[in-house]
Amino acid sequence: MNLEEIKSQIEANVPGCRLEIIPNGSPSGQHSLLVDVEHGFTVASFLRDGATPRFDFCSNVTGIDWPVKEVSTKTKVKKIVDGVEKEVDEVVKSQTGGYLEVVYHLYSIEQREGPVVLRMRTEDRAERVHVPSLTPIWRSAEFQEREAYDLFGILFDGHPDLRRLLMWEGFVDHPMRRDYVDPDDYEYEPTAHDDVLKRAQAHRPAQEGGL
Amino acid sequence: MDEQLKSELRRQGVVATSLQELYNWGRKSSVWPLNFGLACCAIEMIAATMARYDLARFGAEVFRPSPRQADLMIVAGTVTKKMAPQVVRLYNQMPEPKYVISMGACAISGGPFKQGYNVLKGIDRYIPVDVYIPGCPPRPEALIDAFMMLQRKIDAQYLTGPGRPRHLDAETPSEFVVPEFGPHDLVPTSNSEVWSVPLVNISNAGKNEPGRD
């Protein structure tokens, strides 16, 4: 089983869906399949019921936060400088990220195949953070989607019971986001260093002879 | 009565004691712990009560499932912020005299999860702790040691005077503030009556290590 085959299977059966294979450069080579949000539910139900092999088990759901990041790539461009053609490095700046991602790991218990890694991305990190819930397809996703909602703030449309799982109701932050700032409750650290040391010093400016 | 005379009399078959000694002996020999655990330390706590380590030798074999019948709270494991109000509430429901053993790195300070967003940095922020046991998790012997230390502490308590324990002093409170869930953290983040930021000199921390300025 390879991902290309599964991709073409899905494309043949779910019209209009936009799929993209995201390569994994590590030795494991566990490439993943990016599915658009509109067709996410249909693609998932096809993978469970129509595909060969049938992916009857969802083992893991997790979230990833991709904050906006500026990436500069260097390309060599031929330019005419002072009448002479030269190879010049040109830096192209572009932005990546700025969305939340949810990742599903699917297995076929029946055929002993897997995992197929399914990804879906939200539009941004603030308001439009909706993805379809796959809990109606795989019940095992229920608590893990709740966890992803709790820690990343991803809203799963169609989830039967989308409440916080680890933090309490009334907690407003999403602690696994990259820009989460934890509450500043300083206390003694035996080996304070870096950020913890800065924080510790900020809390007691005068006591130790003017830090 | 001085100790020498007392042991002399004891050799002659006369037992001399004081009300305080008798009272403390009775209390220390039958401390009933509250039957609750929070994480892996609880497994060690269970092991300490079983046949091999046998906490029953010290009179603490009766783990009560109700705080109303318990004297000792063994905070065995990680206290998450979500769990902290319940732990404080259980402590408040215990009748005086009551004692707390803070078992393991997590219950003492948050342990390996100290910098985490959901773990309380030590149960002593909300309730007074009598004995701390370091370890991750501590072995049953360490719990027994802590228990014996608690027994020595009970044995040394005076029934009268300014240093008398809390349960004999009507002025001191036996219930403590139960924290509430706030939008970012527990409110309050600690009880200033029982806990304050430890005074430790941190001005030189990190300065004398190579590779740091």
Side-chain angles (χ1 to χ4, degrees):
Chain A
M1 179 204 70
N2 77 39
L3 205 58
E4 291 285 347
E5 280 171 30
I6 289 170
K7 183 173 176 250
S8 49
Q9 262 191 61
I10 297 171
E11 276 164 346
N13 287 278
V14 184
C17 71
R18 297 184 299 281
L19 302 175
E20 189 188 326
I21 288 179
I22 296 174
N24 180 340
S26 75
S28 71
Q30 204 175 64
H31 312 308
S32 53
L33 200 60
L34 180 67
V35 187
D36 64 312
V37 169
E38 292 77 35
H39 296 87
F41 191 84
T42 344
V43 167
S45 34
F46 169 72
L47 283 175
R48 193 193 66 172
D49 297 324
T52 30
R54 290 169 57 247
F55 291 94
D56 45 16
F57 177 53
C58 171
S59 80
N60 180 46
V61 182
T62 189
I64 306 174
D65 181 15
W66 297 99
V68 179
K69 193 176 162 191
E70 202 161 76
V71 188
S72 48
T73 43
K74 266 187 187 174
T75 43
K76 293 212 165 169
V77 185
K78 281 186 180 171
K79 267 188 182 171
I80 296 165
V81 183
D82 302 330
V84 190
E85 198 180 57
K86 270 187 180 175
E87 252 191 13
V88 186
D89 284 344
E90 200 179 60
V91 180
V92 182
K93 281 188 179 172
S94 60
Q95 279 191 342
T96 62
Y99 48 79
L100 301 165
E101 199 172 64
V102 56
V103 184
Y104 293 81
H105 284 207
L106 310 178
Y107 286 83
S108 174
I109 300 285
E110 210 175 49
Q111 299 294 320
R112 301 184 182 188
E113 295 266 18
V116 160
V117 185
L118 211 63
R119 289 168 188 258
M120 284 190 283
R121 283 176 188 171
T122 62
E123 281 179 67
D124 60 24
R125 296 172 70 248
E127 295 293 317
R128 293 165 293 169
V129 287
H130 293 265
V131 292
S133 167
L134 303 187
T135 305
I137 299 168
W138 294 286
R139 268 305 296 277
S140 54
E142 182 179 346
F143 270 37
Q144 304 195 54
E145 283 182 351
R146 273 179 65 183
E147 190 183 359
Y149 158 68
D150 189 355
L151 302 182
F152 289 95
I154 303 166
L155 292 172
F156 292 90
D157 296 332
H159 191 284
D161 182 26
L162 196 63
R163 286 178 294 135
R164 279 182 179 272
L165 184 67
L166 301 173
M167 308 308 283
W168 52 88
E169 292 297 326
F171 189 78
V172 295
D173 305 319
H174 300 291
M176 290 292 271
R177 288 213 191 177
R178 295 295 183 104
D179 50 7
Y180 171 70
V181 182
D182 54 330
D184 191 7
D185 49 350
Y186 161 78
E187 67 161 84
Y188 161 65
E189 293 281 342
T191 53
H193 54 80
D194 299 339
D195 289 344
V196 179
L197 180 63
K198 272 182 211 151
R199 225 186 238 197
Q201 284 168 339
H203 272 264
R204 46 177 70 199
Q207 276 176 7
E208 272 116 31
L211 291 170
Chain B
M1 183 183 280
D2 73 353
E3 287 299 315
Q4 212 177 345
L5 178 61
K6 210 188 279 180
S7 60
E8 186 65 34
L9 281 170
R10 201 160 282 178
R11 264 200 291 274
Q12 305 300 323
V14 180
V15 177
T17 187
S18 62
L19 179 64
Q20 177 179 304
E21 240 173 80
L22 200 63
Y23 178 76
N24 283 345
W25 170 78
R27 286 197 308 132
K28 78 167 188 188
S29 307
S30 166
V31 176
W32 290 0
L34 180 60
N35 188 358
F36 98 114
L38 294 168
C40 30
C41 281
I43 307 299
E44 297 296 305
M45 181 180 75
I46 295 161
T49 64
M50 289 294 129
R52 181 178 288 261
Y53 297 102
D54 200 11
L55 201 60
R57 289 175 293 160
F58 304 90
E61 75 277 25
V62 193
F63 273 68
R64 303 311 298 180
S66 162
R68 303 286 183 205
Q69 302 169 345
D71 309 309
L72 168 66
M73 179 184 237
I74 303 175
V75 184
T78 318
V79 188
T80 59
K81 285 177 182 171
K82 207 172 173 180
M83 194 65 190
Q86 281 78 278
V87 175
V88 179
R89 195 167 287 127
L90 280 173
Y91 180 72
N92 284 346
Q93 287 172 355
M94 285 164 60
E96 290 278 10
K98 53 189 173 183
Y99 301 94
V100 177
I101 290 179
S102 181
M103 182 180 183
C106 296
I108 293 173
S109 69
F113 313 110
K114 185 169 186 161
Q115 303 296 332
Y117 50 86
N118 63 337
V119 173
L120 185 69
K121 294 169 178 63
I123 191 62
D124 54 355
R125 288 185 164 221
Y126 294 112
I127 57 178
V129 173
D130 294 285
V131 185
Y132 296 86
I133 325 171
C136 187
R139 287 193 49 86
E141 291 95 327
L143 180 59
I144 291 172
D145 182 45
F147 191 77
M148 288 163 72
M149 190 175 281
L150 181 68
Q151 285 186 322
R152 285 198 293 276
K153 184 174 179 169
I154 295 171
D155 213 16
Q157 282 179 334
Y158 293 99
L159 302 190
T160 51
R164 64 191 188 278
R166 202 174 58 221
H167 68 282
L168 295 171
D169 187 357
E171 298 297 309
T172 50
S174 69
E175 289 195 5
F176 294 87
V177 177
V178 179
E180 281 174 19
F181 295 132
H184 303 285
D185 201 354
L186 292 173
V187 183
T189 54
S190 65
N191 183 351
S192 56
E193 280 171 33
V194 294
W195 188 83
S196 59
V197 179
L199 267 176
V200 177
N201 189 348
I202 52 164
S203 55
N204 289 321
K207 278 187 185 162
N208 298 325
E209 293 165 49
R212 288 190 201 280
D213 310 323

